[in-house]
Amino acid sequence: MFNPVLVHQTRSIRTILPLSKPFLHGNGNVFRQIQSSPSFKKGPKIRLGSVPSNSVKAMADTAVSNGVTAVVTVRPPINPLTAGGQVIDDVEDLFSKSLQLELVSAKDENKPTISGNAKIKGVVVKDCEVQYEAEFQVPVDFGEIGAILVVNEHALEMYLKDIVLDGLPSGLVTITCESWVQPNTSKDPRIFFTNKSYLPSKTPNGLQKLRYAELVNLRGNGEGERQKADRIYDYDVYNDLGDPDEDEELKRPVLGGKQHPYPRRCRTGRPHCKTDEASEERVPSKSLIPISPYVPRDEEFSAIKETTFVIRGLFGQLRSLIPNLKAEFVDTDGFPNFTEIDKLFREGVKIKDAEFWKSLLPGFVEEIKDIGDFFLRFTSPETFKRDRFFWFRDEEFARETLAGLNPCSIRLITEWPLKSSLDPKIYGPSESAITTEMIESEIKGCTTVKEALNQKKLFILDYHDLFLPYVEQVRELGDRTLYGSRTVFYLNPDGTLRPLAIELTRPPMDGKPQWKQAFTPSSDSTKSWLWKLAKAHVLAHDSGYHQLISHWLRTHCSVEPYAIAAHRQLSAMHPINRLLKPHFRYTMEINSLARQSLINAGGVIESTFLPGKYSMLLSSIIYDKQWRFDHQALPQDLISR
């Protein structure tokens, strides 16, 4: 889909744009190498000299200059007013070092840049921000400022929020940075463009080489292991979900390519496993709170987002652990009846073994003890408060197909009778157990199947052909079962849906022929409970499809290659880049964390979802069969279903 351009990340901007002199005099180069102390050289019209503030000013011989002030707002890696540890060293670094700045003319690439030395101005206590200030003298013929080059002379990385230029004839010029700038011992500056957007063909001459240089830096060359400070956006396959070096049972197939089509992820460049050259070594993490693999530095969580995500993720994991760790808290073995499940909402899970929790949650046990025995109590849904048995009812079962966890699967029935597309020689007869007579009996003479199809009144949740090929493999895992399923709904005159029939199918296995059965609502006691169990299977299928496909694959996974492509192919000045950037925010970091502890071998998905170790492989098959770019948004998604 994408054609990556392979170039080396460490190739400096000076290599791309050769710099023969400290200042440029019409030789076609864009900027000079920034130095810690100013050097001075005469140009045709511009003379530079030092001033007491250590800033560098350009003084025109024949043209009037404008005094311009640049205010740089920075968020340091720590808050010097409250942080401990190495606070003294960090504060000293903060106040003793500066930011080197160069203004770039958008008008003409031959215009010499104007340099300045930004010293700390003050600290904004409320927002924990530091402001730096630099003074410039900008000749009137310098033209519009198109970019600013920044070198961080501090020992620590710094987060640049924005740069505001005041004193230009056009008024205030704001440059939104929102990016980490690393300590730059090589003096290769970071490039920040003004907030004015340009298409590539409309990019001013003075910015074209800078635009290309920045894209080259973001693309990298596809080699080497990525480090935390890198800003490289490159592609790789999903080859880091398994951990064969730890256990052969944790080996997983590579997702991506012809055999198992899948979207691409961000390349990390970690070494390959010793026991499987196709797999990449995983980031070691033994703690409950996972450590994410590499993502480009600007894609990592902000401090506030990271704190929120960790807290939510922690308690989310606690709740997901409850079914497996139930025996650690109560005397009963598992959930022998509905009453035990109901206690999760009414009474909660009482902590029985404090030592167990100390090992599971180091640093959090005291909090749990203070909160008390009901700490792990689940919150009851609002509908439960009005009707304790609402989840048993057919009306609620049908309502949830649109208003519940997964409204993305139900679709209109356009062909009848229902029929499987799988090979009957392998999976048995393709005809559905749901017949015309069965449906018309449930409709109770209101209409015929043919009329209902013509009036667009029959709908289906169809997980039959998707799950059936994995039924035998999943059942071999033990403690779980799986069927292929179909559920047919009828659209009532009042606009609500009513379930008519559920089909469960098992393929030929263990020397037995194919088994299939259709279940319908019934007042008979035995048939009524079989109908409820059939609905439970469908809900398990639907919730698993939601997490694996609707949520992970279609929402997170499929977006990542577009986020990578946008940074590789669209300049920061490109209007489409600026439109998409807020929508891509944090996606790569969340996906990285998911690969570490959610979708990995032995992770939460495999431990709790029906397909088990085949979950991600199943998502690859569904991606290959169902995913279409032009069907991922409204209204086309609804039209196609």
Side-chain angles (χ1 to χ4, degrees):
M1 183 180 295
F2 307 110
N3 298 316
V5 179
L6 299 181
V7 287
H8 200 284
Q9 163 66 8
T10 58
R11 183 183 181 188
S12 70
I13 296 175
R14 293 195 304 279
T15 304
I16 300 167
L17 309 173
L19 304 171
S20 57
K21 299 180 181 180
F23 283 80
L24 310 179
H25 306 296
N27 61 358
N29 296 328
V30 179
F31 55 85
R32 65 176 182 89
Q33 178 178 351
I34 301 178
Q35 301 177 2
S36 298
S37 58
S39 63
F40 317 111
K41 195 172 182 72
K42 289 185 178 180
K45 288 189 177 182
I46 298 179
R47 180 176 70 253
L48 294 100
S50 62
V51 293
S53 65
N54 288 329
S55 64
V56 180
K57 297 186 178 181
M59 291 173 274
D61 289 334
T62 58
V64 178
S65 299
N66 296 302
V68 176
T69 301
V71 176
V72 185
T73 302
V74 170
R75 292 174 187 158
I78 67 166
N79 177 4
L81 300 179
T82 60
Q86 57 184 112
V87 62
I88 304 260
D89 294 337
D90 292 339
V91 169
E92 182 180 353
D93 176 75
L94 188 68
F95 283 88
S96 64
K97 302 296 179 61
S98 63
L99 297 173
Q100 292 286 336
L101 309 178
E102 286 198 58
L103 304 181
V104 179
S105 171
K107 176 181 176 182
D108 187 353
E109 64 176 320
N110 296 322
K111 281 282 184 185
T113 59
I114 303 175
S115 300
N117 200 13
K119 287 290 188 179
I120 193 165
K121 177 185 178 184
V123 178
V124 182
V125 178
K126 179 181 177 182
D127 299 320
C128 297
E129 295 174 344
V130 178
Q131 290 188 332
Y132 288 73
E133 187 175 285
E135 299 290 338
F136 301 90
Q137 287 295 326
V138 181
V140 292
D141 63 348
F142 189 75
E144 182 180 2
I145 293 175
I148 191 164
L149 312 179
V150 180
V151 167
N152 175 17
E153 292 189 332
H154 298 76
L156 300 173
E157 65 177 358
M158 307 192 80
Y159 187 83
L160 265 64
K161 180 182 177 182
D162 57 37
I163 303 173
V164 179
L165 302 176
D166 189 13
L168 294 167
S170 58
L172 288 177
V173 173
T174 300
I175 300 173
T176 302
C177 303
E178 300 291 352
S179 178
W180 289 96
V181 178
Q182 302 301 319
N184 202 323
T185 56
S186 65
K187 303 301 179 186
D188 290 335
R190 275 293 306 277
I191 306 168
F192 292 105
F193 298 100
T194 62
N195 291 357
K196 190 170 183 178
S197 298
Y198 298 100
L199 293 172
S201 61
K202 303 296 183 181
T203 302
N205 291 336
L207 303 179
Q208 288 182 358
K209 288 184 179 179
L210 286 180
R211 174 186 173 276
Y212 174 73
E214 178 70 350
L215 289 175
V216 166
N217 283 333
L218 293 174
R219 289 169 184 166
N221 67 349
E223 298 179 0
E225 184 173 356
R226 300 273 60 87
Q227 305 302 316
K228 179 180 175 63
D230 288 342
R231 299 172 55 242
I232 298 175
Y233 294 79
D234 202 359
Y235 304 103
D236 207 346
V237 295
Y238 278 75
N239 61 353
D240 64 342
L241 302 182
D243 195 358
D245 287 352
E246 178 74 18
D247 188 338
E248 179 65 22
E249 288 296 315
L250 296 178
K251 183 177 180 179
R252 296 293 182 268
V254 174
L255 303 184
K258 292 183 179 180
Q259 186 175 4
H260 302 300
Y262 217 59
R264 293 297 188 264
R265 66 168 175 91
C266 181
R267 180 184 177 277
T268 65
R270 294 193 303 272
H272 286 186
C273 294
K274 298 179 180 63
T275 58
D276 181 16
E277 274 297 313
S279 298
E280 186 177 271
E281 285 185 359
R282 291 181 53 75
V283 174
S285 178
K286 300 296 183 182
S287 63
L288 185 64
I289 302 173
I291 302 171
S292 66
Y294 163 82
V295 294
R297 185 66 180 96
D298 290 340
E299 301 299 327
E300 294 184 13
F301 291 154
S302 65
I304 295 176
K305 176 67 175 180
E306 184 171 14
T307 302
T308 304
F309 189 86
V310 166
I311 291 174
R312 289 180 179 176
L314 173 65
F315 294 116
Q317 287 201 25
L318 282 177
R319 293 190 173 192
S320 70
L321 286 171
I322 288 178
N324 295 325
L325 301 177
K326 176 83 165 155
E328 293 291 336
F329 310 118
V330 296
D331 296 329
T332 57
D333 182 17
F335 298 104
N337 49 53
F338 282 120
T339 302
E340 283 297 312
I341 298 176
D342 194 35
K343 285 182 180 179
L344 292 175
F345 300 90
R346 291 188 292 106
E347 300 177 9
V349 179
K350 296 180 181 180
I351 298 174
K352 184 178 68 173
D353 187 353
E355 293 302 316
F356 168 79
W357 281 99
K358 285 181 181 179
S359 64
L360 185 65
L361 293 174
F364 288 89
V365 173
E366 292 301 322
E367 275 189 61
I368 294 171
K369 287 181 179 178
D370 292 341
I371 293 174
D373 291 338
F374 300 141
F375 173 70
L376 293 178
R377 183 173 59 187
F378 279 64
T379 303
S380 300
E382 288 297 321
T383 45
F384 186 86
K385 297 175 183 178
R386 295 192 294 269
D387 181 358
R388 288 173 52 84
F389 297 99
F390 80 99
W391 52 282
F392 259 176
R393 309 192 192 287
D394 290 351
E395 293 86 349
E396 178 63 18
F397 175 71
R399 187 188 71 86
E400 288 182 3
T401 61
L402 289 175
L405 192 67
N406 182 35
C408 302
S409 293
I410 188 169
R411 65 177 178 83
L412 184 71
I413 296 178
T414 56
E415 296 181 359
W416 193 269
L418 302 175
K419 191 174 182 179
S420 172
S421 61
L422 297 174
D423 187 350
K425 295 179 181 179
I426 300 175
Y427 300 104
S430 58
E431 293 77 13
S432 173
I434 300 176
T435 63
T436 300
E437 294 74 22
M438 185 181 298
I439 296 301
E440 291 182 347
S441 174
E442 290 300 317
I443 298 175
K444 302 186 185 307
C446 294
T447 184
T448 64
V449 168
K450 184 177 181 180
E451 291 172 344
L453 289 171
N454 291 335
Q455 296 171 5
K456 299 183 178 181
K457 290 183 176 292
L458 291 181
F459 295 83
I460 188 170
L461 275 180
D462 192 352
Y463 299 121
H464 185 278
D465 288 6
L466 295 177
F467 288 175
L468 198 62
Y470 285 89
V471 168
E472 183 173 7
Q473 293 167 284
V474 169
R475 291 189 175 199
E476 290 174 352
L477 298 177
D479 295 330
R480 66 186 72 203
T481 190
L482 183 63
Y483 296 95
S485 70
R486 293 187 182 103
T487 309
V488 176
F489 299 86
Y490 178 72
L491 181 62
N492 293 318
D494 63 358
T496 61
L497 291 172
R498 176 158 56 100
L500 301 179
I502 295 173
E503 176 185 5
L504 300 179
T505 306
R506 172 188 53 74
M509 54 181 290
D510 299 330
K512 300 176 183 178
Q514 180 198 68
W515 176 91
K516 66 176 67 171
Q517 185 171 341
F519 303 88
T520 57
S522 176
S523 58
D524 177 83
S525 178
T526 300
K527 291 182 179 180
S528 174
W529 276 105
L530 288 174
W531 170 247
K532 289 181 175 64
L533 287 172
K535 288 193 294 182
H537 279 288
V538 172
L539 290 173
H541 298 169
D542 198 43
S543 62
Y545 185 94
H546 160 74
Q547 290 288 3
L548 277 175
I549 310 303
S550 302
H551 186 185
W552 162 250
L553 178 63
R554 294 178 59 183
T555 308
H556 287 279
C557 181
S558 295
V559 171
E560 184 160 348
Y562 293 99
I564 296 172
H567 285 89
R568 290 171 62 87
Q569 305 298 336
L570 300 178
S571 163
M573 297 181 287
H574 201 293
I576 300 299
N577 184 306
R578 287 178 164 150
L579 175 68
L580 293 176
K581 188 174 182 179
H583 301 282
F584 290 150
R585 194 179 189 195
Y586 302 139
T587 294
M588 296 176 70
E589 173 80 344
I590 292 173
N591 290 0
S592 177
L593 286 167
R595 299 202 313 273
Q596 190 65 5
S597 63
L598 188 67
I599 62 175
N600 61 301
V604 174
I605 295 293
E606 289 192 1
S607 301
T608 57
F609 285 15
L610 277 178
K613 63 185 289 186
Y614 303 106
S615 295
M616 292 304 294
L617 184 59
L618 182 61
S619 74
S620 169
I621 292 171
I622 295 175
Y623 172 74
D624 186 33
K625 290 184 176 181
Q626 293 187 346
W627 198 89
R628 282 182 53 171
F629 176 81
D630 58 341
H631 285 185
Q632 298 309 301
L634 300 177
Q636 194 56 46
D637 171 61
L638 294 179
I639 293 172
S640 66
R641 292 193 286 128

